[in-house]
Amino acid sequence: MAKKENKNEIKIKIEGESWQKALDKAFQKKNKDVTIPGFRKGKAPKDIFVKKYGIESLYIDASDYVIEEAYTKALDESKLIPVVQPKVDITNIDESGIEFNFTIITKPEVNIKKYKGLKITKDKVEVTKEEIEHEISHILERYTDLVTKEGKVENGDVAIIDFEGFKDGVAFDGGKGENYELEIGSGTFIPGFEEQLIGMSAGEEKEINVTFPEEYPQPDLKGQPVVFKVKVNEVKEKVKRELDDELFEDLAMEGVNSKETLEKEIKANIEANKEMDAENKYIDTLLEEVGKNVEVDIPEEMVDEEVDRLMHRYEEQLKMQGISLDLYYQFTRTTEKDLKAQLEKEAYNHVLYRLMLEELATLENIEVTDEEANKEADTLAEKYQMKKDEFLTAFGGIEMIKYDLQMRKVIDLLKEANK
């Protein structure tokens, strides 16, 4: 086993009976799905199979079998604890055997020079009267009534329209809608579309000429002039609500039945959100300051794996908005490489802080008991309305609960030590 700091290379050679068993196992798997003339499906002898497809066709599956087993054995014998998925390089493979190398990255040495007495304080939280009034105006806007009006479309009105788009006289996909509620001035449609509806009346029809933006994701439409045939079916205007009993009933907020109680509720909500933001900022600042006093050579493999995790999380967030990564790249004119580069600093800090907190847990002998972990699991399972065993499976098991609690204990220690 070759070792360089926390990068360990283990050379493995599998030959003889062990390799032949792996080839036989691979043959049994492959043979199930092939039909060779003269034999029923999956019943051809190995020598016939090899003559038709070549022994090389078995190498990938056979290598998978022996590599998995060899990795488990290598970890057991070396007592190494990997911090990222190992890299596997096959250096030689033929009918007689296989040779490969594992590169196993272990946790780097972490030296924390100072983590107490940094005098980090949390921002004080205040809620102003202007913020409360601003939120009330948002509520009134959200509960605005739409009332059919006589007369022409004005900015701020909602026009109920039928429309169909044509490029070079031919209707294009996705360019048609019926009884669509369009708020004029919202910027929902292509630039220039909404403005040309102003002055139209219910029942009126019109052709609207617009040009798709150059950054539009649909290649055959971006930068292209088109014509929309539009009919206004109805015009509605917004009628602002008042803070009256009817609105309080619509809000259905417990204990809110007057302007005073609404202001009190809004203040409490704003305060809670600000308190959460202040706490998160406080912890971020605390970790950043302690991180400045840490000496550690973080392997690039750890950062790369964290970048991949952040990429996956970002992709899931986009999916919730109905956007794929490919569409995101089109919208932003970026590539996967650009996004990875953008996430690299955040990924590096995540790894740094994780290593730092783990080292502090060791230095300060911070541990979590089974009783504490089970109590936390009970609390969280109840919070998410799940059975405890189902919650633990989703969360990653009781050991993940222990780890999460341990990290929170370390952060609490840092708070206390740096007031």
Side-chain angles (χ1 to χ4, degrees):
M1 180 177 75
K3 179 177 179 181
K4 183 181 180 183
E5 297 176 352
N6 58 308
K7 185 174 286 191
N8 309 270
E9 189 174 281
I10 301 176
K11 297 181 183 295
I12 305 287
K13 185 176 183 179
I14 307 291
E15 54 188 350
E17 185 180 353
S18 296
W19 181 237
Q20 292 308 313
K21 282 183 178 179
L23 288 172
D24 288 343
K25 195 174 178 181
F27 161 68
Q28 295 297 334
K29 178 185 176 183
K30 288 279 191 183
N31 199 33
K32 289 179 182 177
D33 300 320
V34 300
T35 301
I36 296 177
F39 301 92
R40 284 182 295 145
K41 185 175 182 180
K43 297 299 181 180
K46 183 179 176 183
D47 59 335
I48 302 296
F49 176 96
V50 170
K51 187 176 180 180
K52 180 172 177 62
Y53 294 104
I55 191 69
E56 297 83 6
S57 66
L58 303 177
Y59 287 169
I60 292 177
D61 286 322
S63 63
D64 286 343
Y65 296 137
V66 297
I67 286 172
E68 183 178 348
E69 185 178 337
Y71 179 59
T72 302
K73 185 178 179 182
L75 290 185
D76 185 54
E77 291 178 351
S78 67
K79 307 302 179 186
L80 294 173
I81 301 175
V83 290
V84 296
Q85 288 296 314
K87 181 183 177 184
V88 183
D89 289 313
I90 297 176
T91 55
N92 187 55
I93 187 168
D94 56 32
E95 191 171 358
S96 64
I98 180 173
E99 296 178 39
F100 50 91
N101 300 332
F102 290 124
T103 302
I104 298 176
I105 308 297
T106 56
K107 184 186 291 190
E109 184 179 337
V110 181
N111 177 28
I112 305 176
K113 294 181 288 184
K114 183 178 180 181
Y115 62 94
K116 296 180 180 179
L118 296 174
K119 305 296 182 185
I120 309 297
T121 57
K122 184 164 75 171
D123 293 341
K124 290 183 178 179
V125 169
E126 292 182 0
V127 179
T128 66
K129 186 173 180 61
E130 288 74 20
E131 288 172 320
I132 296 172
E133 291 297 330
H134 184 70
E135 182 57 30
I136 289 177
S137 70
H138 273 305
I139 291 173
L140 293 174
E141 179 70 22
R142 285 199 300 271
Y143 282 84
T144 294
D145 286 327
L146 284 177
V147 178
T148 301
K149 65 175 263 188
E150 301 295 330
K152 301 180 183 299
V153 175
E154 298 179 74
N155 195 39
D157 286 344
V158 172
I160 316 299
I161 61 172
D162 295 339
F163 63 89
E164 186 170 14
F166 297 84
K167 177 191 169 189
D168 299 327
V170 179
F172 54 83
D173 290 340
K176 184 176 182 179
E178 293 182 352
N179 288 318
Y180 186 92
E181 294 190 4
L182 177 61
E183 181 179 345
I184 310 304
S186 64
T188 306
F189 273 31
I190 305 164
F193 185 98
E194 294 169 23
E195 291 85 346
Q196 294 183 59
L197 292 178
I198 293 175
M200 292 182 69
S201 302
E204 188 175 345
E205 297 183 22
K206 182 178 182 180
E207 289 191 354
I208 289 177
N209 294 279
V210 288
T211 301
F212 276 94
E214 287 292 340
E215 63 273 15
Y216 195 73
Q218 202 167 322
D220 59 333
L221 290 177
K222 62 181 180 180
Q224 296 299 306
V226 296
V227 176
F228 280 94
K229 293 182 179 179
V230 180
K231 179 184 178 183
V232 176
N233 297 322
E234 191 177 0
V235 183
K236 293 185 176 184
E237 62 180 340
K238 291 183 176 182
V239 177
K240 196 170 182 180
R241 297 285 294 275
E242 299 291 334
L243 290 175
D244 52 23
D245 291 342
E246 188 179 347
L247 177 63
F248 297 136
E249 188 175 333
D250 289 344
L251 290 176
M253 297 167 69
E254 189 176 351
V256 173
N257 52 20
S258 65
K259 182 180 180 183
E260 291 71 26
T261 52
L262 177 60
E263 288 176 338
K264 186 178 179 181
E265 182 72 15
I266 289 172
K267 182 180 180 181
N269 290 337
I270 295 175
E271 205 164 51
N273 289 330
K274 281 192 168 188
E275 184 63 40
M276 188 183 298
D277 290 342
E279 178 71 8
N280 290 337
K281 181 184 174 185
Y282 172 50
I283 292 172
D284 287 345
T285 304
L286 190 57
L287 294 175
E288 184 180 349
E289 289 303 311
V290 177
K292 291 176 183 177
N293 295 285
V294 175
E295 291 178 343
V296 60
D297 185 13
I298 297 177
E300 63 180 27
E301 291 88 351
M302 291 186 74
V303 178
D304 290 342
E305 188 167 272
E306 181 63 13
V307 167
D308 289 340
R309 190 188 71 81
L310 292 176
M311 285 276 290
H312 178 70
R313 186 181 73 178
Y314 195 64
E315 184 177 13
E316 291 303 308
Q317 290 171 344
L318 288 173
K319 279 182 183 176
M320 291 174 68
Q321 302 172 45
I323 302 171
S324 67
L325 266 181
D326 287 339
L327 195 57
Y328 167 82
Y329 295 141
Q330 290 181 43
F331 278 141
T332 57
R333 296 184 180 181
T334 57
T335 63
E336 180 180 326
K337 185 179 178 181
D338 295 328
L339 183 55
K340 284 189 172 183
Q342 180 184 323
L343 294 171
E344 196 166 302
K345 175 65 175 174
E346 182 182 355
Y348 179 88
N349 284 336
H350 282 191
V351 176
L352 170 64
Y353 298 157
R354 184 168 72 240
L355 291 170
M356 179 179 82
L357 292 173
E358 289 171 356
E359 180 65 15
L360 285 172
T362 301
L363 290 173
E364 294 285 348
N365 296 314
I366 295 176
E367 296 180 349
V368 175
T369 65
D370 290 342
E371 184 181 355
E372 288 175 311
N374 278 297
K375 185 178 179 181
E376 178 70 4
D378 289 335
T379 301
L380 291 173
E382 184 178 347
K383 177 182 177 182
Y384 293 109
Q385 298 180 328
M386 297 172 69
K387 292 180 179 178
K388 184 178 177 180
D389 57 344
E390 292 175 350
F391 170 77
L392 285 174
T393 299
F395 196 81
I398 199 69
E399 289 304 314
M400 282 303 298
I401 296 283
K402 279 188 171 183
Y403 181 82
D404 188 57
L405 276 176
Q406 186 185 43
M407 295 301 99
R408 280 154 53 187
K409 282 188 175 186
V410 177
I411 290 173
D412 287 342
L413 179 143
L414 286 177
K415 289 180 187 177
E416 195 63 33
N418 290 286
K419 288 181 177 178

